[in-house]
Amino acid sequence: MPPHIPTPTSSPFTRLLSRRQPYRCFSCSLRLSQSSPQPQTQPQDASTTHFGFQSIPSSTKTSRVSSVFSSVASSYDNMNDIMSLGIHRLWKDHFVRSLNPGSPSPSSSSPTNHPRTPWTMLDVAGGTGDIAFRLLDHASLINQDNESKVIVSDINPDMLAEGKRRASETPYADSPRLEWLEANAESLPASIPPGSIDLYTVAFGIRNFTHKDLALREAYRVLKHGGVFACLEFSHVDNRLFNSLYKRWSFGAIPIFGQLVAGDRDSYQYLVESIERFPRQREWRDMIRNAGFMIPGMGGEEGEGGWEDLMGGIAAVHKGVKPLG
């Protein structure tokens, strides 16, 4: 007599799967990435937006993104290691060095022999402190500036809690040079008044915002004249062969590693898809310029450049300067 084989309805594993989002295979995801329309500055329907490759009500995106980052907060370094093969650490170091925090203030018009004014920096979507610690280290160790401070802002309390835990292991634990703020970058609180920030940074976070144009306007509002907006974000590879290989890694391997390392395939699937939906380098540069910023390195009104590609465009650095008043 053949052994009894449980029916699908009696299988606990099947019942578990039924509660999850539909499984999205590598080939399906890659096909979606190749056929999906180019990112748009504004959704066709203002009441909807994208969550990865899904179209969802705009009002729900913040909570859904928050769920993703609550899920990965304790394994955030692992997440970025998987997403970038560990190179994100070098990118962040390069990003901070290029900003040279603690040097004569970018928003200062004082003579060079005038006493140095400490910087007030705002690191948005920076909950775990990765960029903030680097900013303070550079200011202290390279520019001998022990007064500049960083406000770390994040909409997700779990990410902020992880950052505070990490800060306890640094020289900045309980330091007045480091503040933590739970806030929405699209509508910053009154505690950050207009014209109060020398440097606004956002690293690997802005692609998850619902209304990126609103976040840019807020960045412009809170920066001092001469202040700098600086963004480090996953971006788009131009080389066709390299792009094909990178997409196969992104859509084929990253979600699987997310499952193996963090037990969370769905969050990593979303993060890969969110990169694909982020504006390409030129479009993102133009969005920054349309918010009122001057773009360093851009030639002419419709010129080339205005950003720095890292590893062929896997990531890119964009900067904007608020014009002097």
Side-chain angles (χ1 to χ4, degrees):
M1 184 174 182
H4 171 68
I5 300 176
T7 63
T9 55
S10 65
S11 166
F13 180 67
T14 303
R15 290 197 299 271
L16 175 63
L17 286 179
S18 69
R19 295 196 295 268
R20 293 171 58 85
Q21 294 293 324
Y23 175 75
R24 187 176 291 140
C25 65
F26 159 58
S27 59
C28 299
S29 295
L30 189 58
R31 192 175 301 115
L32 276 170
S33 74
Q34 293 169 339
S35 62
S36 61
Q38 289 297 315
Q40 298 177 350
T41 302
Q42 293 292 340
Q44 291 182 346
D45 180 350
S47 66
T48 64
T49 189
H50 57 80
F51 180 78
F53 291 157
Q54 302 175 49
S55 181
I56 61 172
S58 296
S59 60
T60 67
K61 181 168 181 176
T62 298
S63 62
R64 294 190 65 173
V65 170
S66 180
S67 295
V68 168
F69 282 91
S70 290
S71 174
V72 302
S74 61
S75 59
Y76 184 73
D77 277 344
N78 291 336
M79 179 195 78
N80 280 328
D81 285 336
I82 292 170
M83 300 285 286
S84 71
L85 296 177
I87 301 171
H88 71 99
R89 302 168 193 272
L90 299 179
W91 291 341
K92 290 171 181 175
D93 289 344
H94 170 75
F95 178 61
V96 169
R97 281 197 304 270
S98 75
L99 299 169
N100 197 19
S103 62
S105 174
S107 59
S108 173
S109 58
S110 302
T112 55
N113 60 352
H114 191 275
R116 178 165 51 194
T117 303
W119 292 28
T120 299
M121 297 172 274
L122 175 64
D123 183 37
V124 171
T128 60
D130 264 11
I131 296 297
F133 302 149
R134 283 173 166 84
L135 291 169
L136 292 174
D137 282 347
H138 186 102
S140 301
L141 301 176
I142 303 301
N143 288 318
Q144 289 75 52
D145 167 20
N146 295 310
E147 297 182 40
S148 290
K149 70 174 186 178
V150 181
I151 303 167
V152 181
S153 172
D154 203 295
I155 198 171
N156 189 299
D158 293 313
M159 295 290 280
L160 288 170
E162 178 66 15
K164 292 176 183 178
R165 184 191 68 77
R166 295 182 184 195
S168 67
E169 302 169 359
T170 73
Y172 313 112
D174 302 317
S175 168
R177 299 181 64 198
L178 186 63
E179 299 180 17
W180 304 90
L181 176 68
E182 184 178 340
N184 187 335
E186 297 171 15
S187 180
L188 292 168
S191 60
I192 305 179
S196 61
I197 301 298
D198 294 287
L199 173 65
Y200 177 118
T201 58
V202 56
F204 302 120
I206 206 164
R207 74 180 188 278
N208 301 298
F209 293 2
T210 305
H211 302 290
K212 299 171 185 62
D213 56 333
L214 295 183
L216 287 172
R217 287 182 212 165
E218 280 292 88
Y220 188 90
R221 183 181 66 84
V222 301
L223 278 166
K224 299 175 182 178
H225 291 288
V228 175
F229 166 86
C231 171
L232 169 63
E233 186 55 89
F234 286 111
S235 197
H236 300 274
V237 175
D238 282 332
N239 182 278
R240 189 170 180 177
L241 176 59
F242 187 27
N243 185 50
S244 176
L245 294 173
Y246 177 63
K247 281 189 177 179
R248 287 185 178 277
W249 160 257
S250 297
F251 287 95
I254 288 176
I256 294 173
F257 277 108
Q259 179 64 43
L260 295 174
V261 174
D264 186 355
R265 181 187 181 109
D266 292 343
S267 292
Y268 285 78
Q269 183 74 43
Y270 157 73
L271 290 166
V272 169
E273 293 176 3
S274 70
I275 297 170
E276 192 68 24
R277 294 304 303 265
F278 189 66
R280 299 189 71 84
Q281 288 92 320
R282 181 183 298 273
E283 182 185 359
W284 181 231
R285 176 204 68 186
D286 290 343
M287 289 177 65
I288 296 170
R289 183 174 61 165
N290 291 339
F293 290 101
M294 297 187 302
I295 307 298
M298 179 179 170
E301 185 66 21
E302 299 297 332
E304 297 295 326
W307 68 86
E308 179 188 6
D309 282 334
L310 304 176
M311 282 194 67
I314 291 179
V317 175
H318 285 76
K319 297 176 184 175
V321 178
K322 184 172 178 177
L324 294 173

